[in-house]
Amino acid sequence: MGFWSRRRMPELEMYGLTWRRLTPADEAAAEALVERCHAADAGPSAVSTFGAHRFGSKHCAAIGGFVGEQLVAAVTVVPAASYQPVIGYVDPGYRGRGLGGAVLDWGLREAGGASEIQTRVLTPGAQALFESRGFALTTAEDTMTLTLTRSAPMAAPELPAGFTLRRWRDGTASEFWMAHTTIFTGDDSAAASEVWKGWELVLSRTYEDEIHSSLLAYAPDGTPAAIVLAYEGTIYQAATAAQWRRRGLGRALVLGASAHYQAEVDAQYPEDTDDTLVDVTFDALVAGSTAFFERLGFRHTAREASFRPGR
């Protein structure tokens, strides 16, 4: 039967739920389940329905457990060339009953030996579950969020003496690209492939009604010293050239981009009283990043991770 298995699910039937294959008609129920899980595991600011469509895709093997009309547990196996990602969710109100392990085991059997477990919001309990099945953490990305109060706008920090600032709207894309390349290729900790990360996302978005808050700092000798690529409340990259570190440039540009974004939001939506949120996502396995953003007032909201069979 192609990718879908006719395998019965006796290990799931004992939980008192109604189990069946998920279809495109279940996408709204899957989105609601994902939202509930993200809200419980990472807070309202991290709520996302990203990937929920996979639970109803005809290309994926997906099952769901229902209580009445409400989907409370689901797992999907996504076909891929070399491995098959397994993604699952259990409603916060139905955890602690063994459902997580049961749906994970079903997904792993469906995927076969070449599988990867993926999660949008990694919790200690989920990591322990994955590791109990012989999987080890291979990649992890942290998302941290800075909350800016609408009633007390943040002022952009001053640059160190002798440094000058360029905002995206004052420069050109080519100017930012040249500076970005200079800073990243001069940093031994940044692989060449990393140069394009974030840049393509920011460069491709030039809509006049949306907010570029990218900033570039030049050293007193005129060389690019630090850069932040930021767009619509998301900081995609931040880097300081090695010779100019420990001078407060990174702090000044990250907070400066955040203040610029808040000011633009206030100007565009003067009637809005909600706080302004600025997000940053980075490799969680790189030492020092979390501590840096914590010092700036960011708080951890989510960790996206992948696990593969341990060695």
Side-chain angles (χ1 to χ4, degrees):
M1 294 297 293
F3 191 69
W4 175 255
S5 171
R6 285 185 175 273
R7 181 186 298 115
R8 286 178 59 80
M9 298 168 282
E11 74 281 6
L12 298 177
E13 291 171 357
M14 70 181 69
Y15 293 98
L17 308 183
T18 301
W19 295 92
R20 62 172 173 79
R21 178 182 179 177
L22 299 179
T23 71
D26 297 307
E27 185 171 340
E31 288 183 352
L33 172 62
V34 172
E35 284 184 347
R36 294 195 301 275
C37 291
H38 286 184
D41 296 335
S45 65
V47 168
S48 168
T49 59
F50 180 84
H53 66 282
R54 291 177 171 176
F55 288 87
S57 171
K58 65 180 181 181
H59 302 295
C60 302
I63 58 170
F66 291 79
V67 174
E69 297 298 318
Q70 185 179 48
L71 180 66
V72 299
V75 61
T76 183
V77 182
V78 184
S82 58
Y83 62 92
Q84 297 180 56
V86 177
I87 306 167
Y89 289 92
V90 175
D91 187 285
Y94 289 82
R95 294 176 183 174
R97 309 180 186 191
L99 274 171
V103 295
L104 174 62
D105 290 342
W106 186 93
L108 293 176
R109 285 195 296 273
E110 192 71 22
S115 58
E116 175 181 87
I117 302 172
Q118 295 181 351
T119 177
R120 293 286 293 177
V121 183
L122 180 63
T123 64
Q127 182 162 351
L129 173 61
F130 303 154
E131 291 174 346
S132 74
R133 299 310 194 261
F135 283 72
L137 180 68
T138 53
T139 63
E141 286 191 339
D142 276 347
T143 297
M144 299 185 72
T145 302
L146 178 66
T147 301
L148 302 175
T149 305
R150 190 67 178 264
S151 60
M154 183 178 69
E158 295 289 335
L159 289 178
F163 289 81
T164 56
L165 186 69
R166 293 281 277 178
R167 289 167 55 173
W168 179 270
R169 70 182 186 187
D170 300 326
T172 65
S174 60
E175 177 188 14
F176 270 74
W177 164 241
M178 292 300 295
H180 178 264
T181 304
T182 298
I183 292 169
F184 270 85
T185 55
D187 180 357
D188 292 337
S189 69
S193 61
E194 295 293 303
V195 172
W196 281 98
K197 272 191 177 180
W199 174 259
E200 287 182 306
L201 290 169
V202 172
L203 179 63
S204 65
R205 294 168 174 168
T206 57
Y207 306 109
E208 292 183 0
D209 61 338
E210 296 186 338
I211 303 170
H212 273 280
S213 47
S214 300
L215 299 175
L216 169 61
Y218 285 100
D221 63 3
T223 59
I227 193 169
V228 167
L229 295 180
Y231 174 84
E232 283 292 309
T234 298
I235 295 173
Y236 290 98
Q237 278 187 335
T240 300
Q243 68 270 32
W244 301 115
R245 291 175 185 166
R246 301 189 182 280
R247 298 168 183 257
L249 285 172
R251 175 183 182 276
L253 263 64
V254 169
L255 294 182
S258 301
H260 171 47
Y261 176 67
Q262 183 182 31
E264 292 285 335
V265 169
D266 289 352
Q268 285 192 18
Y269 307 101
E271 73 288 348
D272 195 349
T273 60
D274 293 339
D275 291 339
T276 302
L277 302 179
V278 177
D279 293 325
V280 60
T281 299
F282 54 86
D283 186 343
L285 304 183
V286 175
S289 297
T290 298
F292 170 76
F293 287 105
E294 283 179 342
R295 288 194 297 271
L296 302 187
F298 285 76
R299 61 184 179 86
H300 184 267
T301 51
R303 172 169 287 187
E304 182 175 351
S306 298
F307 290 75
R308 290 198 177 185
R311 298 185 183 278

